[in-house]
Every structure is written in C-alpha cells, then in structure tokens.
Amino acid sequence: MLAQTQRCVANRPCLLKHQSLLIPYRSPVKPFTSTRHVLCRAAAKQEEEVPDMTYNFVAKNQDVFRSLPLYAGGVGIVGVLANRLLSGIAPVVDASSSQSRADVLVIVMSAILLLTGLQWLSLKPREALTVQLEGNEVLWSDPDVKLPPGAEQEVAWAWQALKACTRCKSLVLLYQGRNIFHAGFIKEGRRPGSASGGDICAEAIKSGQGNYLANLVLYPGRGEFVEFLPDNTQAVVVQPIGSKGVLVAGCNTVRGFSQLDQAWIAGIADKLEVTLEKLVITQGVGFGS
C-alpha cells in the first residue's frame, strides 16, 4: 500500500506543490487556487490571441483591406459597361437574353460590394485614449506601521512590476481601514496616507471578489476613488486582500487592464494576504478597522 502511494505521488508531483500553496489559507473558498486557475485561463487565452504575421500585415494595412470591397464593386460595374461597349451587345437590357440576366446579377453583386466597402471604411475602431494624469507622483509607505519582515519590499516589488508590465499608474494599499502604501499618481493637493475606502471597496471585501471599473467616468461611485486618485483616472481595479484590506490600481486608459492584468493583480493581493496576515493596526479608520 505504501509503495502504491509513493508511485501515485511520484506520478503527480503537482499535488504536493498544490497542497503546499494552500496551507497558509484558512478560507474554505481557497482564493489562491481560484486565482491560479484564472491566471492559467487568462494566459492560455492570451496565447491563443497572439497575432501571427498575416494578422500583423493586415493590421498595418487595414485601410487598404477595408477598401477592397469598394474597389471590387467598382471594377465589376466598369467591367459590365466595358463588356457592353466592346462586345457590340445592345445597351438595352433584354430579359430574354442570358447576357442581360448575367449583367444584372453582376451589377447587384457589385452594388453590394460597394456598400460593404463604404460601411467598412466608416466603421473604424477607435484607439484607446491615453491621458496625462493630473496629479503628483509619490512613493509613500506609512512610517507609523511596522510591517512584517520583507512585507515592505514585497509591496514595493508589486508596484514596480505592475508599473513596468501593465498600464497601472497608481497603486493604493488599504489595510484594516488604514492607508499604508501609496505609489504613483495622487490627487493634486492630497496628502499621502489620507486615502480611505468607500462602498465599492467594502463590497469587494465582503464578497471576496474583485471589481473592475473599466470606464471610471461612467460609474456613479467614481467619487470614492477620485478623492485620492487624479480626477481624470480612466479605469480602476479593486481587489480585496482577504477580509482586512483592499488593493486599488488606477490606470490612465479606458479599459486599460486586460484579463491577464486583473488576474495578476488578484494573485498579488492573495500573496499580500499571507504576508500581512499577522499585521495588527490599532488606529485604522473605515472598513476593516
């Protein structure tokens, strides 16, 4: 029996790794497992969506390809007229003539191609607008909060990684009702460390699920975030850190965070949950205090 168990473990080494990753988490929901699954699905989807060389060629010459139906329709109509003139066929359409019926079909198809080309040229996707955030850049951590060993370096690494690999321009860490970290842009005239969460942050902590506000200007609850982020922040990701805190990431582009970016932020929040689980803050305000 023991030998059989050892063979089973040897054949599935991922089980040991999987179980070791779940040891620090006491929640029955196992958030880290779900985050790993989301990361895998997002990465797989992104790999499937990686454009090939043909796609790149079409994307670089999209105006030409959008005009192809227009050119084809024009060539079809000119070809019918040239055929009538050069072949000596009477210009009057005769329903009993097979040539006339064929010309009518070509003209109809050419008209459809012309309309399709005009439609393709008029429906061009708009590029996401990147704005210059109106605020000051800071890199601040609460000096009155003694973080666990390595926690400050880990939070700083999370900010540098998100800044370098995504469109994240602001990162705010609220834990036990207190703003203990703020990096990137802050609202002009706002003092670092004065950020606080509102209803959206509280709901994220209560539900244990993140919230992505892809176009912040359209959400009535945007005032909760522009209290400490620049007024023209375009998108925000709110990711809970267990039941005690929340991670807020701001962006300068509408829909600037991809599905993989959101999964990555969720993974960072899960890691911070383990790092900060022994942290106790006695002067917190707002949710989680």
Side-chain angles (χ1 to χ4, degrees):
M1 183 66 181
L2 180 60
Q4 183 179 1
T5 303
Q6 292 176 346
R7 286 196 300 270
C8 180
V9 172
N11 292 333
R12 295 187 178 182
C14 60
L15 290 178
L16 293 178
K17 182 179 179 182
H18 182 69
Q19 291 174 355
S20 63
L21 288 173
L22 294 179
I23 288 176
Y25 293 91
R26 301 175 182 175
S27 172
V29 181
K30 298 180 180 179
F32 193 74
T33 304
S34 61
T35 303
R36 285 165 56 85
H37 292 168
V38 172
L39 280 168
C40 293
R41 289 197 301 267
K45 182 177 180 181
Q46 190 174 40
E47 288 180 359
E48 293 176 358
E49 294 178 352
V50 172
D52 55 14
M53 296 302 296
T54 305
Y55 178 88
N56 289 334
F57 176 75
V58 174
K60 292 178 181 179
N61 303 276
Q62 55 178 318
D63 291 337
V64 175
F65 283 92
R66 289 176 183 273
S67 304
L68 286 180
L70 194 64
Y71 297 146
V75 170
I77 292 178
V78 171
V80 170
L81 296 177
N83 181 58
R84 284 279 178 173
L85 293 176
L86 298 178
S87 62
I89 302 176
V92 180
V93 177
D94 185 5
S96 61
S97 172
S98 59
Q99 181 63 45
S100 298
R101 293 194 295 269
D103 291 344
V104 170
L105 290 176
V106 172
I107 291 176
V108 171
M109 295 176 64
S110 300
I112 294 175
L113 289 173
L114 288 172
L115 294 176
T116 301
L118 292 174
Q119 184 181 23
W120 284 8
L121 289 174
S122 62
L123 299 178
K124 291 184 178 180
R126 293 190 305 174
E127 295 183 359
L129 178 62
T130 300
V131 302
Q132 179 64 37
L133 295 181
E134 301 170 354
N136 303 316
E137 289 193 63
V138 297
L139 181 58
W140 177 89
S141 59
D142 195 337
D144 298 328
V145 177
K146 186 177 180 181
L147 297 177
E152 186 173 354
Q153 291 80 359
E154 187 169 324
V155 174
W157 168 86
W159 159 241
Q160 293 297 335
L162 290 174
K163 179 182 178 182
C165 302
T166 69
R167 294 176 177 176
C168 181
K169 299 300 180 182
S170 303
L171 188 67
V172 180
L173 174 58
L174 305 173
Y175 198 76
Q176 294 183 9
R178 187 162 179 166
N179 181 197
I180 63 176
F181 182 81
H182 193 138
F185 282 89
I186 188 173
K187 186 174 183 177
E188 190 172 359
R190 190 78 175 186
R191 178 176 58 85
S194 59
S196 60
D199 294 337
I200 298 178
C201 292
E203 180 62 28
I205 292 178
K206 182 179 178 180
S207 64
Q209 297 181 353
N211 196 350
Y212 179 33
L213 311 181
N215 193 352
L216 188 61
V217 70
L218 300 180
Y219 289 88
R222 66 183 298 268
E224 175 179 340
F225 303 102
V226 296
E227 285 293 327
F228 53 90
L229 295 179
D231 291 333
N232 60 340
T233 300
Q234 300 296 301
V236 164
V237 171
V238 182
Q239 186 64 39
I241 304 176
S243 59
K244 297 181 180 180
V246 68
L247 199 63
V248 179
C251 179
N252 63 343
T253 306
V254 176
R255 294 180 293 275
F257 291 110
S258 66
Q259 185 179 5
L260 187 58
D261 296 337
Q262 299 171 53
W264 192 15
I265 294 174
I268 292 176
D270 286 337
K271 183 63 175 68
L272 291 176
E273 178 186 358
V274 178
T275 304
L276 302 175
E277 64 179 353
K278 295 182 179 180
L279 177 64
V280 177
I281 300 177
T282 57
Q283 298 180 353
V285 293
F287 64 87
S289 58

